[in-house]
Amino acid sequence: MPPLLQTLIRRLTRPSVYVYVTLVLMLLGWITGQQVSERNGTAQLSATTRERLELYANTLDAELARHADLPGLLAIDPKLQALAESPQDAGLRRQASQALTRIGVRAGAMQIFIAGPDAEVLASSDASQPPPPRLQEALDAGRPHFFAADARTGSLAYYLLQPLLTSRGGPPPATLIVKVSLAPLEATWVDLGLRSEGERLLVVDAQGVVIMSSVPRWRFFVLGRASEDERAALRASGRYPGSARFEDMGIPEESLAAGDLRLVRMPPLEAIPNKAGPVLIPQERPLVPLGLRLIALSDPSGVRREARNAGWGGAAFGAFGGMLALYLASRRRALRQLSQAQAQLQQAHGQLERLVDARTAQLRSTNEELTHQIAQRVKAEDELVQAGKLAVLGQLSAGISHEVNQPLTAMRALARNGLLLLEAGRMKTVAENLNAIDAMVERLSLITRQLKTFARKAEQQAGAPVTLLGAIENAQLLLGHRLREDDITLKFDVPPQLRVVCDGNRLEQVLVNLFGNGIDAMRGEPRRVLSVSAAQADDGRVLVAVGDTGKGLGEAQLARLFEPFFTTKPAGEGLGLGLVISSKIVHDFGGTLRARNQPDGGMRFEFDLPALVDPEPHASDV
């Protein structure tokens, strides 16, 4: 093989050459796929638009044909013919107007009126609507129908004319006109254009002015381009509203006549300065009997998007061919380099083993250090757990001291009272006091177990039916000496048959705490009333409220009222755990303990409990 040929083959087998070939194939594939897809997509879009043009044209024809027979039917009405015989008769005018009003409502026409040869309205179904400016022109020309813009709304209206003939013969003395509004149809087009990004619709009259459009801003635009003289003539024709500006739409008439699918830059859809309008493809469908043209403006963005996708598909196919050739060339090169790589692999394997040994020793040392750190962390966690236990033990000790203080005070009072009774020889009363002391000792044991349960966060036990009034009376008995010493009146409004489902001892503990706080809060107050009320709500729960007539608390104190060890009492009189424990007990009952200031002074504590029966209302004062 000649050296020159060998050099050429060696250069052609370089990977860079295959990369260039791949890029060329991608470019050719992209251009081919894009052009073929765009040509086919444009043809399909044109066919679809033509089908929809036929559909829209039939819809417009059907809308206009709904009232086509109405003028002829009305022309034989005796009342209307009588008005044509005597157009100046005021009574006949009134009767004809009433008849036209009834017929217009039933037929769904916007307006029906009768006009004389000079366009004077003789009778009308809606006297508030003026006649169209082109009425005289249509009467003189003897047209059966014409289009005109509504002077009030600017929307297009279709007018059907029917001469009223008389028995005398000669020119018709009056003409019946039926006005049909095309605003609903145009509104349907506008709504269709807003809800979809399909074609835009235009209806163009013989003067080349857009009289209906699915884009409201394009109404009364000139289809092509108009000079100032042409715009002045259009304004003077009286066919259009005075507000029409006749801006240029910019659609070339020659492309519509030839059927060319030419892209046209349209005016903006909204009156926004410096905003470009959409690029659309116009297609026309003449409405010969009406003297109109229906134009559909299709959006080619979907076709372009599909063409781009097809172009990328062609580019991907070209890339596949180029990459396949590159793969085959690379495979040959790889086989040649494989033998060289095996030798290098053996050398690298030896180096890797040495590296693995070094890394293994380093990982072993790191693992030992990590194990030591884990042991230290476990030890620290055990110390933290022990510290937490000591903190809980401190709370329990303080809680026991607070909760036991009240029963001990009562036991002391009963013991002293028992000594006096014993000296007086009242043995029966002494026995009653001893029984009360025994009950209070049992209560102290219950309080200790309850605080222990609170501290350990034990699971809630199923409650039993408890008479709420009995629990209140037990709490009153426990605090009776304090109520008497401080001259406090206890009032409660509790139905006697009201029963709740809870632990009775724990409920009494909550009531004793709330009563005690209320007694402390009213110390030194001129009015000292402790009130308790209960009522059953519609949801089957009982709302219990305990109120006092003390001074109440400030907002800052209310926010911290249920914090452990927070108290407003002087040092040595309270540890701030009573409300915390009470809130925990109520929570175990399925309720919430709340506190707020009363409008007339004092505090009010509320909590809810599950009810067993619906009691009858009862009130009593103690």
Side-chain angles (χ1 to χ4, degrees), residues 33 99-100 107 148 167 175 191 210 287 318 391 441 474 478 566 600 604 612:
L100 293 178
S167 59
T175 302
D191 181 67
V210 178
L287 303 175
V441 171
N474 290 339
L478 187 61
F566 173 77
D600 54 350
R604 179 182 176 90
L612 185 64

Side-chain angles (χ1 to χ4, degrees), residues 38-50 53 197-202 218 223 250-252 255-256 259-266 278-284 294-304:
E38 186 172 4
R39 183 169 58 252
N40 295 337
T42 302
Q44 183 178 2
L45 179 63
S46 175
T48 303
T49 304
R50 285 196 297 270
L53 272 174
E197 296 183 357
E199 63 271 2
R200 305 313 198 266
L201 297 178
L202 305 176
W218 291 350
L223 185 63
I251 300 178
S255 66
L256 288 175
D260 296 337
L261 301 179
R262 183 185 301 181
L263 295 175
V264 178
R265 172 70 69 178
M266 303 300 296
V279 177
L280 305 175
I281 300 177
Q283 289 182 261
E284 179 185 48
L294 183 61
I295 298 175
L297 301 166
S298 304
D299 187 357
S301 58
V303 175
R304 292 180 176 178

Side-chain angles (χ1 to χ4, degrees), residues 482-525:
R482 294 192 59 188
L483 295 172
R484 291 189 296 272
E485 290 176 359
D486 294 337
D487 191 18
I488 294 176
T489 301
L490 176 62
K491 293 184 177 181
F492 50 89
D493 183 5
V494 180
Q497 297 178 355
L498 181 60
R499 292 192 296 172
V500 294
V501 181
C502 63
D503 188 336
N505 292 325
R506 303 179 76 191
L507 175 59
E508 292 177 12
Q509 183 179 349
V510 172
L511 294 172
V512 167
N513 282 330
L514 297 181
F515 288 179
N517 288 340
I519 293 172
D520 294 336
M522 292 185 293
R523 186 174 299 166
E525 295 295 325

Side-chain angles (χ1 to χ4, degrees), residues 253-585:
E253 296 277 356
E254 59 275 9
S255 66
L256 288 175
D260 296 337
L261 301 179
R262 183 185 301 181
L263 295 175
V264 178
R265 172 70 69 178
M266 303 300 296
L269 301 179
E270 299 177 357
I272 301 177
N274 302 324
K275 181 178 181 180
V279 177
L280 305 175
I281 300 177
Q283 289 182 261
E284 179 185 48
R285 199 278 194 188
L287 303 175
V288 178
L290 302 177
L292 304 175
R293 289 185 292 171
L294 183 61
I295 298 175
L297 301 166
S298 304
D299 187 357
S301 58
V303 175
R304 292 180 176 178
R305 184 167 53 253
E306 294 296 332
R308 286 196 300 270
N309 295 335
W312 287 116
F317 183 78
F320 173 76
M323 296 304 294
L324 180 62
L326 178 61
Y327 166 74
L328 295 177
S330 300
R331 188 172 183 275
R332 291 178 55 190
R333 184 184 299 272
L335 292 176
R336 187 171 57 251
Q337 295 175 350
L338 181 60
S339 58
Q340 301 176 359
Q342 289 179 349
Q344 296 176 357
L345 181 62
Q346 292 178 355
Q347 182 181 0
H349 180 71
Q351 295 177 354
L352 180 60
E353 286 184 350
R354 292 189 294 272
L355 181 61
V356 168
D357 293 338
R359 294 292 295 171
T360 301
Q362 183 180 0
L363 288 175
R364 186 180 297 110
S365 175
T366 304
N367 187 30
E368 293 175 355
E369 183 180 356
L370 181 60
T371 302
H372 179 68
Q373 292 179 358
I374 291 175
Q376 290 182 343
R377 181 174 179 179
V378 170
K379 183 178 179 181
E381 288 179 352
D382 291 340
E383 293 176 355
L384 290 176
V385 170
Q386 184 62 26
K389 291 180 179 179
L390 293 176
V392 172
L393 182 59
Q395 291 184 359
L396 285 175
S397 300
I400 291 173
S401 174
H402 177 82
E403 294 298 327
V404 171
N405 184 50
Q406 294 175 349
L408 286 178
T409 302
M411 290 169 60
R412 185 183 299 112
L414 290 173
R416 292 176 180 176
N417 190 25
L419 291 175
L420 297 177
L421 294 173
L422 186 60
E423 293 176 358
R426 297 171 59 182
M427 303 304 294
K428 182 178 180 180
T429 307
V430 172
E432 293 176 354
N433 286 353
L434 291 176
N435 290 331
I437 292 175
D438 180 70
M440 291 179 186
V441 171
E442 179 63 24
R443 187 177 303 278
L444 288 177
S445 177
L446 291 176
I447 291 174
T448 303
R449 289 198 299 270
Q450 291 162 4
L451 291 175
K452 182 179 180 181
T453 301
F454 167 73
R456 291 182 179 178
K457 298 184 179 179
E459 295 183 357
Q460 181 179 356
Q461 299 178 353
V466 177
T467 303
L468 183 58
L469 185 59
I472 296 174
E473 291 174 347
N474 290 339
Q476 176 190 359
L477 177 63
L478 187 61
L479 298 175
H481 65 286
R482 294 192 59 188
L483 295 172
R484 291 189 296 272
E485 290 176 359
D486 294 337
D487 191 18
I488 294 176
T489 301
L490 176 62
K491 293 184 177 181
F492 50 89
D493 183 5
V494 180
Q497 297 178 355
L498 181 60
R499 292 192 296 172
V500 294
V501 181
C502 63
D503 188 336
N505 292 325
R506 303 179 76 191
L507 175 59
E508 292 177 12
Q509 183 179 349
V510 172
L511 294 172
V512 167
N513 282 330
L514 297 181
F515 288 179
N517 288 340
I519 293 172
D520 294 336
M522 292 185 293
R523 186 174 299 166
E525 295 295 325
R527 180 172 176 264
R528 294 182 292 277
V529 178
L530 187 64
S531 59
V532 186
S533 62
Q536 186 171 358
D538 296 335
D539 58 357
R541 297 186 68 83
V542 174
L543 179 64
V544 182
V546 178
D548 59 63
T549 57
K551 296 180 180 180
L553 296 177
E555 294 297 330
Q557 293 175 326
L558 276 176
R560 301 184 56 194
L561 194 58
F562 294 99
E563 293 182 4
F565 301 104
F566 173 77
T567 180
T568 59
K569 300 176 183 179
E573 295 187 10
L575 294 177
L577 289 177
L579 288 179
V580 176
I581 296 173
S582 300
S583 178
K584 170 61 177 176
I585 293 174

